[in-house]
């Protein structure tokens, strides 16, 4: 018996760097490295602001040490395991060849400025240049982007340019990882632009980052404009608009397209009309970019389905709440108007007090002082806990139920795809697109696929059992088994009479000898017929 020992380097490469090993940590490592790259680039940019850097100099230093340490460890281990990399495994001097490869040089450039500044005496200007050179760490992202681009080219070989643009922006079975990276890129700029809009309202922060805010706004506007134009351009590839005579116009009228337009419209209006009209109030409307995030999550679509399905129950609960608000506002006006005519001046003003009390907020700006008013407030505070919890409970339950329905529908689609025993390219693309639309993780898709296969196999066994006609345990029920056998013999006798004994015997003799039982049954049937 031979025992195979795996070297520590081979195990390390398998668990950390090998993308083919599904149980490893390659994806988690890539995501962590990508996060550190973005964070380190942001830190380099913030270091150029003395007001921030001088107060948190030590934090910046240790964060730089941490990131460089991780990047250095990654570089060293990739060089050490280069002979296990399929790209260099069959070549002479694999480690040396990897050291001069594109990705290795990028990794080296990302950490070289740090060590150069530590071990070589440099002046202030050179030190500043070395700090700026740390921005080259962004090129480390090419390790994820370039393979995703090659994968995208292979998946979309033979398709038109417009179809490729659509595959980049929308989930399809041939979008690949590049679509995910583009989505993450757009989401990053949405989040960054929203953060800038919020902090721009703080005078002290705006004084420090006025230039940076302006640059980020221009870049975000450019990204969103290119995205909007690209989505309008590839609208005919969308299955929802493909059969229409004016697919571009149909897309521009859709809700998501209107949101995309509204996110770039304030910048355009400010740029062209700010000299004649004060349009600074439009900057607040840049917060509508948050609505763009609804495209990248299925939560809003699920909530929309829930509201459409449960609108009667929701309407009933809202009606009860409104009825209770009006009733309690009227009672509050009746009990408190005489004592506090300035606060409970009329019923509409009392509605504000009723809503605040029912919602258990109780701002305190309006409160009863009469015994009956205070008693009513106590009752309202207790009832409000249950009344306002009803719609929340209904929505939560219906939301969970809708998620289950979507997953069951996805599993049913998987079972339909497995009906012929295998998945063709069209079915595979449809499943991938549906999983991306529902934002299912790889583990969830794998679990649902296994469940669909198991249910399909169980259904096949059940159908085969029914087709064989054996629906009882012959050993446990011999009398019923003999009765069923008699029934089958009668059915065979009818077949023999219809087809003819000689024809059946002639055909059965052509069957191999292991089917002798069929000839014996035919003889039995012939005797029974006679």
């Amino acid at each position: 018996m031979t025992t195979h020992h795996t070297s520590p380097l081979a195990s390390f490469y398998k668990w950390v760097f090998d993308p083919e090993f599904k149980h490893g940590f390659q994806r988690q490592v890539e995501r962590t490295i990508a996060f550190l790259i973005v964070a380190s680039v942001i830190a380099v940019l913030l270091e150029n602001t003395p007001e921030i850097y001088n107060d948190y100099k030590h934090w910046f230093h240790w964060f730089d040490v941490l990131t460089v340490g991780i990047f250095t460890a990654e570089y060293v281990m990739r060089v050490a395991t280069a002979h296990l990399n399929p790209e260099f495994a069959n070549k002479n001097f694999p480690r040396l060849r990897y050291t001069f490869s594109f990705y290795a040089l990028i990794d080296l450039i990302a950490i070289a400025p740090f060590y150069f500044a530590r071990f070589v005496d440099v002046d202030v200007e050179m030190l500043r240049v070395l700090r700026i050179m740390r921005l080259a760490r962004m090129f480390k992202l090419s390790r994820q982007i370039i393979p995703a681009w090659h994968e995208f080219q292979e998946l979309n070989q033979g398709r038109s340019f417009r179809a490729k643009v659509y595959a980049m922006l929308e989930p399809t079975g041939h979008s690949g990882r590049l679509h995910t990276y583009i989505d993450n890129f757009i989401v990053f700029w949405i989040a960054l632009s929203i953060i800038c809009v919020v902090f721009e309202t703080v005078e002290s922060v705006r004084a420090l980052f006025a230039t940076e805010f302006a640059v980020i706004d221009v870049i975000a506007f450019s990204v969103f404009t290119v995205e909007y134009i690209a989505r309008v351009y590839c609208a005919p590839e969308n299955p929802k608009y493909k059969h229409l005579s004016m697919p571009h116009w149909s897309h521009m009228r859709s809700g998501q397209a209107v949101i995309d337009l509204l996110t770039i419209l304030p910048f355009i209006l400010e740029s062209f009309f700010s000299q004649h009209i004060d349009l600074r109030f439009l900057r607040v409307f840049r917060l509508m970019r948050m609505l763009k995030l609804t495209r990248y999550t299925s939560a809003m679509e699920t909530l929309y389905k829930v509201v459409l399905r449960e609108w009667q129950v929701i309407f009933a609960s809202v009606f009860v709440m409104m009825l209770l608000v009006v009733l309690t506002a009227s009672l509050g006006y009746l009990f408190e108007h005489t004592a506090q005519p300035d606060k409970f001046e009329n019923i509409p003003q009392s509605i504000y007090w009723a809503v605040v009390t029912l919602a258990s907020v109780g701002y305190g700006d309006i409160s009863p002082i009469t015994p009956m008013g205070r008693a009513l407030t106590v009752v309202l505070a207790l009832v409000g806990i249950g009344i306002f919890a009803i719609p929340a409970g209904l929505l939560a339950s219906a939301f969970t139920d809708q998620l289950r329905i979507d997953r069951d529908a996805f599993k049913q689609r998987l079972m339909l795809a497995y009906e012929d025993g295998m998945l063709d390219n069209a079915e595979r693309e449809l499943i991938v697109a549906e999983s991306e639309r529902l934002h299912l993780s790889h583990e969830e898709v794998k679990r649902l696929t296994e469940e669909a296969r198991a249910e399909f196999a169980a259904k096949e066994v059940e159908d085969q059992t029914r087709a064989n006609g054996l629906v009882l345990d012959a050993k446990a029920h011999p009398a019923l088994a003999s009765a069923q056998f008699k029934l089958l013999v009668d059915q065979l006798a009818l077949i023999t009479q219809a087809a003819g004994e000689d024809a059946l015997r002639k055909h059965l003799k052509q069957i191999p000898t292991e089917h002798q039982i069929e000839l014996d049954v035919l003889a039995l049937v012939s005797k029974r017929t006679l």
Side-chain angles (χ1 to χ4, degrees), residues 391-454:
L394 288 173
L395 287 175
S397 176
F399 195 88
T400 304
D401 191 41
Q402 185 63 42
L403 290 176
R404 180 187 58 80
I405 292 173
D406 290 340
R407 280 163 172 75
D408 289 344
F410 180 74
K411 187 194 298 184
Q412 186 65 27
R413 182 162 294 182
L414 285 173
M415 291 184 64
L416 292 175
Y418 280 113
E419 277 189 346
D420 56 356
M422 61 180 298
L423 293 177
D424 56 23
N425 291 332
E427 291 172 337
R428 196 182 305 277
E429 289 185 2
L430 184 64
I431 290 173
V432 172
E434 186 68 12
S435 64
E436 290 186 3
R437 186 187 68 83
L438 296 175
H439 297 278
L440 298 175
S441 64
H442 177 72
E443 290 74 16
E444 288 177 317
V445 173
K446 183 178 179 181
R447 178 179 59 82
L448 292 174
T449 303
E450 292 176 352
E451 291 179 1
R453 285 178 177 173

Side-chain angles (χ1 to χ4, degrees), residues 27-81:
R27 290 187 177 182
Q28 291 85 340
V29 170
E30 295 290 348
R31 290 173 184 172
T32 303
I33 295 296
F35 172 78
L36 288 176
I37 292 170
V38 176
S40 62
V41 170
I42 294 175
V44 171
L45 295 176
L46 291 177
E47 284 182 9
N48 294 321
T49 305
E51 291 81 0
I52 296 178
Y53 179 72
N54 293 335
D55 293 337
Y56 301 97
K57 184 183 300 184
H58 296 291
W59 288 98
F60 281 103
H61 170 71
W62 287 112
F63 178 75
D64 195 27
V65 171
L66 175 65
T67 54
V68 170
I70 294 176
F71 294 157
T72 302
E74 179 200 10
Y75 174 75
V76 171
M77 294 310 300
R78 287 191 183 276
V79 172
T81 59

Side-chain angles (χ1 to χ4, degrees), residues 88-161:
F88 303 95
N90 298 323
K91 298 180 180 180
N92 296 326
F93 310 106
R95 291 187 176 91
L96 183 62
R97 287 179 178 270
Y98 174 79
T99 304
F100 290 97
S101 66
F102 173 77
Y103 294 129
L105 292 176
I106 291 296
D107 292 341
L108 182 61
I109 292 174
I111 60 177
F114 178 86
Y115 294 107
F116 189 82
R118 291 295 180 277
F119 299 107
V120 178
D121 292 333
V122 294
D123 56 12
V124 177
E125 291 298 327
M126 187 62 183
L127 183 62
R128 186 174 302 173
V129 172
L130 291 176
R131 286 183 177 180
I132 296 177
M133 284 182 62
R134 289 180 296 172
L135 293 175
R137 295 173 185 175
M138 288 189 296
F139 293 106
K140 283 177 65 67
L141 294 174
S142 60
R143 190 182 296 277
Q144 291 86 35
I145 297 174
I146 293 178
W149 172 256
H150 291 321
E151 178 195 35
F152 181 81
Q153 291 293 337
E154 292 178 3
L155 292 174
N156 292 272
Q157 191 173 9
R159 289 187 170 88
S160 63
F161 177 75

Side-chain angles (χ1 to χ4, degrees), residues 185 211 433:
F185 177 75
T211 304

Side-chain angles (χ1 to χ4, degrees), residues 155-450:
L155 292 174
N156 292 272
Q157 191 173 9
R159 289 187 170 88
S160 63
F161 177 75
R162 189 171 64 186
K164 291 180 180 179
V165 174
Y166 179 76
M168 288 182 184
L169 297 175
E170 296 291 343
T172 62
H174 48 86
S175 294
R177 291 174 295 170
L178 186 62
H179 163 70
T180 304
Y181 294 154
I182 291 176
D183 278 358
N184 292 338
F185 177 75
I186 296 174
V187 169
F188 170 78
W189 279 106
I190 293 173
L192 183 60
S193 63
I194 291 171
I195 292 173
C196 291
V197 171
V198 171
F199 281 99
E200 197 175 2
T201 59
V202 181
E203 189 63 32
S204 58
V205 177
R206 187 175 64 180
L208 291 175
F209 298 102
T211 304
E212 287 80 358
F213 285 156
V215 172
I216 290 174
D217 194 26
V218 171
I219 297 176
F221 166 76
S222 303
V223 171
F224 299 151
T225 302
V226 171
E227 180 202 6
Y228 177 76
I229 295 174
R231 290 188 184 278
V232 173
Y233 167 72
C234 66
E237 300 294 331
N238 193 323
K240 294 189 297 184
Y241 311 122
K242 184 177 292 186
H243 62 282
L244 301 177
S245 58
M246 301 178 66
H248 300 287
W249 176 244
S250 300
H251 170 77
M252 293 174 65
R253 292 187 301 167
S254 64
Q256 288 289 351
V258 172
I259 292 174
D260 291 340
L261 181 61
L262 291 178
T263 57
I264 62 177
L265 201 57
F267 185 92
I268 297 175
L269 294 177
E270 281 189 76
S271 300
F272 288 98
F273 301 104
S274 59
Q275 298 179 354
H276 308 285
I277 307 174
D278 187 6
L279 297 176
R280 287 179 294 179
F281 70 94
L282 290 176
R283 296 179 181 177
V284 179
F285 287 93
R286 288 180 294 176
L287 291 174
M288 293 188 65
R289 293 170 181 174
M290 286 189 295
L291 297 177
K292 286 175 67 67
L293 295 174
T294 59
R295 176 182 279 115
Y296 305 100
T297 176
S298 59
M300 292 301 298
E301 182 179 356
T302 303
L303 183 61
Y304 178 71
K305 293 179 181 178
V306 166
V307 173
L308 287 182
R309 196 184 69 191
E310 304 290 342
W311 72 269
Q312 293 179 327
V313 180
I314 296 174
F315 176 78
S317 63
V318 172
F319 175 75
V320 171
M321 283 195 305
M322 296 303 299
L323 186 64
L324 187 60
V325 166
V326 174
L327 179 61
T328 53
S330 302
L331 292 175
Y333 171 75
L334 179 64
F335 295 146
E336 295 293 328
H337 175 65
T338 304
Q340 301 183 83
D342 56 332
K343 294 184 178 181
F344 291 85
E345 184 178 355
N346 47 50
I347 292 180
Q349 191 171 356
S350 301
I351 288 177
Y352 165 76
W353 163 79
V355 171
V356 170
T357 306
L358 279 171
S360 301
V361 177
Y363 292 120
D365 52 344
I366 299 179
S367 58
I369 59 176
T370 64
M372 291 299 296
R374 291 180 175 178
L376 180 61
T377 302
V378 173
V379 174
L380 283 181
L382 296 176
V383 173
I385 296 174
I387 291 297
F388 276 83
I390 291 176
L394 288 173
L395 287 175
S397 176
F399 195 88
T400 304
D401 191 41
Q402 185 63 42
L403 290 176
R404 180 187 58 80
I405 292 173
D406 290 340
R407 280 163 172 75
D408 289 344
F410 180 74
K411 187 194 298 184
Q412 186 65 27
R413 182 162 294 182
L414 285 173
M415 291 184 64
L416 292 175
Y418 280 113
E419 277 189 346
D420 56 356
M422 61 180 298
L423 293 177
D424 56 23
N425 291 332
E427 291 172 337
R428 196 182 305 277
E429 289 185 2
L430 184 64
I431 290 173
V432 172
E434 186 68 12
S435 64
E436 290 186 3
R437 186 187 68 83
L438 296 175
H439 297 278
L440 298 175
S441 64
H442 177 72
E443 290 74 16
E444 288 177 317
V445 173
K446 183 178 179 181
R447 178 179 59 82
L448 292 174
T449 303
E450 292 176 352

Side-chain angles (χ1 to χ4, degrees), residues 487-504 522 525 529:
L487 179 62
L488 291 174
V489 170
D490 291 338
Q491 293 176 352
L492 289 173
L494 294 176
I495 295 174
T496 304
Q497 291 178 0
E501 179 183 350
D502 296 337
L504 287 176
L522 180 60
V525 172
T529 305

